[in-house]
Amino acid sequence: PRVRRQRQMCIRDSLKAGENDFAVIISPIHEIMKDLDLVHVMPVAEFQDIVIAGNRFSELQNRTLSLEELCMHPLVSMESGTTTRLFWDNLFEEQGLDLRPSIEVSSNDLIAPTVSHNLGIGFVPSEFARNYLLNYRVFQLHLNIPIPKRQILVLQNPMRPLTPAAQTFLDMLKPVSYT
């Protein structure tokens, strides 16, 4: 058994070719994945993204902000091409805006530390910010629009039987909610 990190576009091809037992991805499902008729999608967890800032932005702490107002400040987000960035790009686009971060990182776990050093306002799953929020190094900002919850999904090609190890692993997964 191997664990690999791949972009959603590569996952589609490996599932179709039977190279992977299953794939674990984060919503939203990229457009290229939607044409996979043969893939079974199983939600296993739900989580909430939040907007966080450090003390440099304390004047924003007790306000309800628009995305347009956020654009007036340096922003920290995931790099282009990631599912998280696609999610935020779409949210900004729905408001008629372009997300143009000052800093792009390659991993969600880098956003909270970057924000805690007051380098910008960040967009991050709440679990990745928990320690920073609890230690008062950063605080959550509130938006005037709802941020949709996202899901962790397991994709499986039902035409390919699972190995016993893969089946056991999938059986252990239970829906969990991080809110």
Side-chain angles (χ1 to χ4, degrees):
R2 282 188 292 172
V3 175
R4 293 185 281 197
R5 181 179 173 191
Q6 296 178 313
R7 303 261 186 210
Q8 283 193 23
M9 291 175 231
C10 297
I11 291 170
R12 178 191 74 164
D13 296 335
S14 21
L15 280 172
K16 281 177 112 172
E19 296 170 357
N20 294 339
D21 289 326
F22 59 88
V24 179
I25 67 167
I26 305 296
S27 66
I29 295 177
H30 192 280
E31 283 299 314
I32 200 163
M33 297 295 283
K34 291 181 179 174
D35 70 352
L36 277 176
D37 300 333
L38 301 176
V39 172
H40 172 71
V41 178
M42 178 179 75
V44 294
E46 188 174 72
F47 65 94
Q48 181 69 55
D49 286 270
I50 61 173
V51 181
I52 59 173
N55 59 10
R56 173 181 169 197
F57 305 97
S58 59
E59 75 279 1
L60 304 175
Q61 187 169 9
N62 295 315
R63 295 183 44 214
T64 299
L65 305 163
S66 68
L67 291 179
E68 188 172 13
E69 288 175 282
L70 289 184
C71 288
M72 294 186 286
H73 302 281
L75 302 175
V76 180
S77 81
M78 289 292 293
E79 63 190 1
S80 290
T82 61
T83 305
T84 297
R85 179 60 179 274
L86 174 66
F87 171 79
W88 284 100
D89 282 341
N90 289 340
L91 200 60
F92 271 72
E93 190 175 291
E94 289 170 6
Q95 300 298 310
L97 301 166
D98 286 326
L99 173 57
R100 294 190 180 157
S102 302
I103 299 174
E104 294 181 352
V105 297
S106 61
S107 176
N108 274 310
D109 60 353
L110 297 174
I111 294 174
T114 304
V115 168
S116 75
H117 286 92
N118 289 305
L119 298 175
I121 294 170
F123 310 102
V124 65
S126 61
E127 282 298 305
F128 286 89
R130 180 186 299 245
N131 182 47
Y132 289 86
L133 292 167
L134 292 174
N135 290 313
Y136 307 108
R137 290 192 266 182
V138 300
F139 53 88
Q140 183 175 350
L141 294 176
H142 301 283
L143 298 181
N144 66 350
I145 60 168
I147 301 172
K149 287 188 176 186
R150 294 197 294 151
Q151 294 180 313
I152 300 171
L153 307 166
V154 172
L155 305 181
Q156 178 203 350
N157 183 342
M159 305 307 264
R160 181 172 193 258
L162 290 174
T163 63
Q167 186 61 59
T168 300
F169 178 76
L170 291 181
D171 289 344
M172 290 185 331
L173 296 177
K174 295 179 183 177
V176 176
S177 179
Y178 294 111
T179 54

